[in-house]
Amino acid sequence: MKTKDAVESLAALAQESRLAIFRMLVKRGPGGYTPTQLGEKLDVSSPTLSFHLKELQHAGLVDVRRDGRFLYYRANFVHMNHLVGFLTENCCVLADQACGPQCGPVTAEVSVTRRKRA
């Protein structure tokens, strides 16, 4: 990844609504969400959502697929992983000793809440 691309991606994520949209798309996985679904989940108006999705798409963080008359926006996982790799590729190269596991990408703990059926 080039520095210019990383700056564009980080700039796109440096806004609260866009970060929330991107994180929601990451949670959803490759299936993505329609704009209507995203708007309902995040309580964002259609024009505002459209603006933010366009910015994320321009930065390469989101792509869109058409299924009939529906558009599905989804996180571009390849680009996301390239960005994380760019940020960590030189981790500890100037250190006197190896960093160890602190230098690798952090694996987030996911807690799954199961609902009880009535």
Side-chain angles (χ1 to χ4, degrees):
M1 173 172 278
K2 296 180 181 176
T3 300
K4 179 181 176 267
D5 297 328
V7 169
E8 284 182 10
S9 296
L10 293 169
L13 293 173
Q15 199 281 337
E16 191 174 341
S17 295
R18 285 193 290 272
L19 182 59
I21 292 166
F22 183 72
R23 292 188 76 203
M24 181 65 70
L25 291 172
V26 168
K27 289 177 187 177
R28 179 65 171 182
Y33 282 119
T34 64
T36 302
Q37 293 169 323
L38 268 174
E40 289 171 356
K41 291 190 171 300
L42 296 170
D43 194 28
V44 177
S45 70
S46 294
T48 301
L49 180 64
S50 178
F51 170 78
H52 290 311
L53 285 170
K54 186 168 66 169
E55 291 295 312
L56 289 167
Q57 193 174 6
H58 177 73
L61 291 163
V62 169
D63 59 24
V64 62
R65 70 176 168 82
R66 180 177 289 281
D67 186 6
R69 62 186 186 124
F70 296 102
L71 295 175
Y72 288 86
Y73 287 86
R74 57 190 175 190
N76 182 340
F77 292 103
V78 171
H79 187 83
M80 177 187 77
N81 288 326
H82 284 172
L83 179 61
V84 171
F86 175 83
L87 294 172
T88 59
E89 72 184 342
N90 294 316
C91 187
C92 298
V93 296
L94 300 177
D96 293 334
Q97 59 189 20
C99 297
Q102 306 93 301
C103 203
V106 176
T107 304
E109 289 185 30
V110 178
S111 63
V112 177
T113 305
R114 301 199 184 255
R115 295 182 184 172
K116 292 184 179 182
R117 295 185 184 213

